[in-house]
């Protein structure tokens, strides 16, 4: 085997799927499972952003993700603050995965990807297209529907529905 081929076979792809995940949706979950097939290790990283008013704490969001991906060996759930590229450097991740639902996502995602590339060229952003049936699902809409008494059961994993109900009661 050539040195180049050896290097390639020894290479392990660590990818980060960052987001707010407030809360995790079926669209996020589908993306996690698909991205986990492409990377050797996938780190789902919840942004710890004190400036953004969130419904669930970072710990609650991480737990919901952890329980929803249980059994998927190469997926790890973590949180981060500060710049995504600095976190990627710390975790030695070469890839950032983001989902695109509709063309309206593209502009902001392109901007983030280009900024991140300027800040750290070693990190490549790759985009996965959301499955059609999840292309209109967003955490923001789910919170709105739920707070107005709507049924979000088809948009989020059952565990998340349950946690939303508990939040409302508390
Ligand atoms: O789920 P979201 O809210 O669309 O995720 C946005 C996220 C967390 C990917 C983005 O806000 C982010 O990377 N924040 C970390 C701060 C950072 O690195 N900013 C510079 C790149 S725009």
């Amino acid at each position: 085997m050539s040195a180049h081929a050896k290097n390639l076979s020894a290479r392990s792809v660590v990818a980060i799927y960052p987001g707010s995940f407030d809360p995790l949706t079926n669209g996020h979950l589908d993306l996690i499972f698909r991205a986990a097939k492409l990377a050797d290790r996938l780190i789902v990283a919840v942004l710890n952003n004190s400036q953004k008013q969130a419904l669930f704490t970072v710990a609650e969001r991480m737990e919901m993700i952890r329980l929803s991906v249980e059994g998927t060996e190469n997926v790890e759930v973590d949180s981060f603050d500060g710049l995504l590229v600095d976190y990627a450097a710390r975790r030695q991740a070469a890839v950032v995965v983001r989902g695109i639902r509709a063309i309206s996502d593209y502009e902001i995602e392109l901007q983030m990807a280009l900024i991140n590339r300027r800040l750290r060229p070693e990190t490549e952003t790759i985009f996965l297209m959301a499955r059609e049936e999840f292309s209109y699902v967003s955490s923001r809409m789910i919170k709105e529907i739920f707070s107005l008494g709507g049924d979000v059961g088809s948009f989020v994993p059952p565990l998340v529905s349950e946690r939303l109900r508990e939040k409302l009661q508390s």
Side-chain angles (χ1 to χ4, degrees):
M1 199 190 274
S2 71
H4 179 64
K6 257 190 198 153
N7 273 344
L8 281 181
S9 65
R11 189 189 287 167
S12 146
V13 177
V14 179
I16 296 176
Y17 177 28
S20 304
F21 304 105
D22 184 40
L24 177 76
T25 68
N26 285 338
H28 291 135
L29 199 54
D30 171 61
L31 213 96
I32 292 173
F33 292 138
R34 285 163 54 207
K37 287 187 194 145
L38 303 174
D40 294 292
R41 192 145 55 89
L42 178 71
I43 304 166
V44 182
V46 179
L47 176 67
N48 192 350
N49 183 355
S50 52
Q51 277 147 32
K52 210 168 156 184
Q53 186 66 32
L55 178 63
F56 290 98
T57 66
V58 170
E60 287 170 335
R61 285 179 261 164
M62 286 173 70
E63 196 207 8
M64 284 186 274
I65 302 170
R66 217 171 259 138
L67 292 170
S68 302
V69 301
E70 221 165 38
T72 312
E73 295 287 307
N74 64 334
V75 177
E76 173 192 332
V77 184
D78 195 12
S79 65
F80 76 104
D81 47 29
L83 285 177
L84 175 60
V85 287
D86 290 341
Y87 176 69
R90 278 201 304 281
R91 299 304 313 265
Q92 297 183 311
V95 176
V96 165
V97 181
R98 291 286 288 169
I100 299 255
R101 289 164 302 189
I103 195 76
S104 49
D105 280 341
Y106 179 77
E107 211 167 325
I108 180 73
E109 291 300 333
L110 175 69
Q111 193 182 10
M112 283 202 288
L114 294 180
I115 289 173
N116 285 337
R117 185 160 72 197
R118 179 58 71 92
L119 294 173
R120 187 174 189 257
E122 301 90 324
T123 305
E124 198 67 66
T125 302
I126 64 164
F127 296 106
L128 295 184
M129 300 303 146
R131 259 170 57 185
E132 305 83 281
E133 62 264 48
F134 302 135
S135 61
Y136 54 88
V137 178
S138 73
S139 299
R140 191 170 61 83
M141 291 291 177
I142 282 161
K143 283 182 279 194
E144 185 168 318
I145 297 165
F146 191 78
S147 68
L148 297 172
D151 179 11
V152 294
S154 56
F155 306 132
V156 295
L159 170 82
V160 174
S161 280
E162 208 175 287
R163 295 291 155 90
L164 277 164
R165 270 194 299 276
E166 286 167 15
K167 265 280 167 216
L168 205 69
Q169 281 156 12
S170 66

